[in-house]
Amino acid sequence: MANANAQEVIDIDSDGSGDEEDSEFNTFESSAAYLKPSRSNFFARLNNTIKDDEGPNKIWVQTIDWMIKDNKANHRTDQYDNKRLILRRGKEFKMKLKLDKEFDPEKHSVVFTFYTGDKPAISKGTLCTLHESKKLDNKDWGFILDKHEGEEVTYSMMTPVSAPVGYYKVLIESICSVPDSPGSPNITKITCPEEIFVLFNCWCPEDSVFLDDEAQREEYVLNDTGLIWVGTHRDYEPIPWNFGQYEVCVLECAVYLLSNANLAVGARSDPVKLTRALSALVNSNDEGGMLWGRWTETYPPNSTDPTEWVGSVEILRQYLLNEEPVRYGQCWVFSGVLTTLLRCLGIPARCITNFESGHDTDCSYSIDCHYDVEGNPVDDLDDSIWNFHVWNEAWFKRHDLPPGYDGWQAVDATPQEASESIMRCGPCPVLAIKQGDVYLPYDTGFMFSEVNGDRVWWKVEKDGNMAVEYIDRNCIGKSISTKAVGSDEREDLTNFYKYPEDSKEEEEVVAKVSHFGSRKEWTVMRSNRDIEVDIGHETAIMGEEIKIPLKFTNTSSKSSRTVSLSAHIKCSAYTGRTDNKQPLIKTITNVLELSSNESDTLTISLLPDEYVKKIRAGSTLRMFLQLSVQETKQVYATQETFLVKKGTGVMVTCSKTNVKQYEEFDVTCTYTNTTSTKLTRSYFYLEGPGIRRSKKLYCGTVQPESTIERTLTLSAYRVGERVLFVKFCNSKIPNAIVKVKIHVEEAEPTEVI
């Protein structure tokens, strides 16, 4: 009798090492554990597979060969560490069966049934029974007989471009039809012991995620590392990020998340619905999501400061192993994780950084800021303006919208404001944000205010009354950034999100949006002034004097102006929030007399003793500047943020940069503390896609002006150019991270299982 548990002909270990890493494959390669018990009658058909005695009119499947190596290479999924077959939908693949007797096409045939989810049904698009076709069409499931020789039969098969993504189980029915024979046809059945996985396919023109540019497909789907921009619009820098979408735990985590989603299995065919679901599942605020957000100065024991992560993989691994939210993340972490999940599932995705990012809380599409009658900021009443905020873009067609909105869609997993009672945001077309189509789903109005909202300055009287004093139209949404295709350069996307400031098109968009805001009267006001202010910029280095030059110009051609000014400088989190318990670093007041067309410069100086002990880890300096003109009663107000750079101080050397698979090499990590503060509870964190699991090297305390060194032995199991991320982790030194490239050559096979 044929083996009831038919196996693949070849089952190759992902790294061939047979060490403790294989336990991770055994842990994560168990997607059946994520499938809910079925209530479908269809499973009675599956369970009725008891084999009778062999006979001349029965034919049994002995082995199933999914031809994994060739199919993965053809489908560009060979980098995935998972042992199963992983396909991109809408593309042909092959499989081979070995039978217990010679195949005769005149009397033998095969029927395949593919099904997914807990209640597979034809009506839901989650079950399909395939009979042999005359030709393949990527609009439907199908297979054709490719060739047969003796007991071996090879088939060409097709998944449709509309197939839901996820794991599929496969039932194979082998049929023997003998004319005039009692009991003919005889049918035997077997369920494949391993599932296959179906992904979106951006190489297929009929797929909703099709992207007609190979360089962009390489960058936004296949690239497992990247850069995320942080800082301020004056001083921005990229931090490396390990997306790691091919690691064994990532695909399994995506399945687990989707099993918890309030999303029908059939809806997984639609990138709009799937992306929206993931934007909620990445944060832990709803639906059993995976990552807690926390924006504080200190973090509890047994948690991770968001600045310490260097990639998504360890977050996904912890969540999958513990089945509880990981602590903690902030916007760039949420964005990095969502990019990993989308690329893993085949959806083109990238991280987007918006500097001076507005956060509207009342659907006014404006950002409210306040100051009192003496010119002091009233922070607790303000909407926030983040130094930077990171979200995502995903590429797909919008069949749910009128024509013209296909392409990049903005989506945000950071929990900010609820969307339909759940913490999620998007997807909304980037073009809709630019055109001010704030009535379109999903959350287009909120994202419009992030990049193009007006900052409305309110004067707060002593009795609590308020009045609008000034509206600044050109301060929100600066230097919108992403990693350039094929390089580590920054690509500026600002013109894709908004028309140039003060252009006719931008004025028309603002006028259109004003009709939908909750406070229409304020959004249409315009403020003219004849005092121009230019805030200069010099790089601020921790421990050195910081200079902020302010240039004031009287643009009036006839009259002189008397200008009263007040400037307040405080520490600020990158979210724009200042700590009311933190004392002011400095306050400056002055009166300037400016003749017509005259300019004058005032330089604010901060000495190290004034700010070093007050500035917090990860903080920036935020200056609030308020002016009033005596002659015209004009008011001008603005805020500006200054990043205080601390330097990375990290150096990494490798004993070898060209290695064979599984060959060990030494990595030496060095950190020099250039600050005047001793750094306690420090460690090096190492992680890289295709390299052995993440490692920590504890350093203890690093004294000022001292250097510490640690060495670790690693090996790599994935062929090609690999990137190793090394970060020095200490709460007082953010972004101390470097990356090292290592070329890994294929090792000779030592064992075939």
Short mmCIF file of all heavy atoms in Angstrom, two decimals, residues 32 92 189 320 369 396 580:
data_model
loop_
_atom_site.label_atom_id
_atom_site.label_comp_id
_atom_site.label_asym_id
_atom_site.label_seq_id
_atom_site.Cartn_x
_atom_site.Cartn_y
_atom_site.Cartn_z
N ALA A 32 -0.53 25.51 10.69
CA ALA A 32 -1.81 24.87 10.98
C ALA A 32 -2.30 25.24 12.37
O ALA A 32 -3.49 25.24 12.65
CB ALA A 32 -1.68 23.35 10.86
N GLU A 92 2.55 30.84 -13.44
CA GLU A 92 2.59 29.39 -13.59
C GLU A 92 3.65 28.77 -12.68
O GLU A 92 4.71 29.35 -12.44
CB GLU A 92 2.86 29.06 -15.05
CG GLU A 92 2.95 27.58 -15.36
CD GLU A 92 3.28 27.32 -16.83
OE1 GLU A 92 3.02 28.21 -17.66
OE2 GLU A 92 3.80 26.22 -17.13
N LYS A 189 -7.95 9.40 -2.37
CA LYS A 189 -7.72 10.79 -1.97
C LYS A 189 -6.57 10.88 -0.98
O LYS A 189 -6.39 9.98 -0.16
CB LYS A 189 -8.98 11.39 -1.34
CG LYS A 189 -10.14 11.55 -2.30
CD LYS A 189 -11.40 12.01 -1.59
CE LYS A 189 -12.08 10.85 -0.87
NZ LYS A 189 -13.41 11.23 -0.35
N LEU A 320 5.55 36.49 18.13
CA LEU A 320 5.09 35.17 17.73
C LEU A 320 5.35 34.14 18.82
O LEU A 320 4.52 33.25 19.06
CB LEU A 320 5.78 34.75 16.43
CG LEU A 320 5.14 33.62 15.63
CD1 LEU A 320 3.71 33.96 15.25
CD2 LEU A 320 5.95 33.31 14.39
N CYS A 369 -2.14 76.41 17.81
CA CYS A 369 -1.11 76.73 18.79
C CYS A 369 -1.56 77.97 19.57
O CYS A 369 -2.31 78.80 19.05
CB CYS A 369 0.23 77.00 18.11
SG CYS A 369 0.89 75.58 17.20
N PHE A 396 -0.70 50.03 -4.95
CA PHE A 396 -1.71 49.15 -5.52
C PHE A 396 -2.82 50.00 -6.16
O PHE A 396 -2.89 51.22 -5.97
CB PHE A 396 -2.32 48.19 -4.49
CG PHE A 396 -2.66 48.80 -3.16
CD1 PHE A 396 -3.83 49.52 -2.97
CD2 PHE A 396 -1.82 48.63 -2.08
CE1 PHE A 396 -4.16 50.07 -1.75
CE2 PHE A 396 -2.14 49.17 -0.84
CZ PHE A 396 -3.31 49.88 -0.67
N ASN A 580 6.04 70.30 30.76
CA ASN A 580 5.74 71.46 31.61
C ASN A 580 6.55 71.47 32.90
O ASN A 580 6.72 72.51 33.53
CB ASN A 580 4.24 71.49 31.93
CG ASN A 580 3.41 71.83 30.70
OD1 ASN A 580 3.85 72.55 29.82
ND2 ASN A 580 2.20 71.29 30.64
#
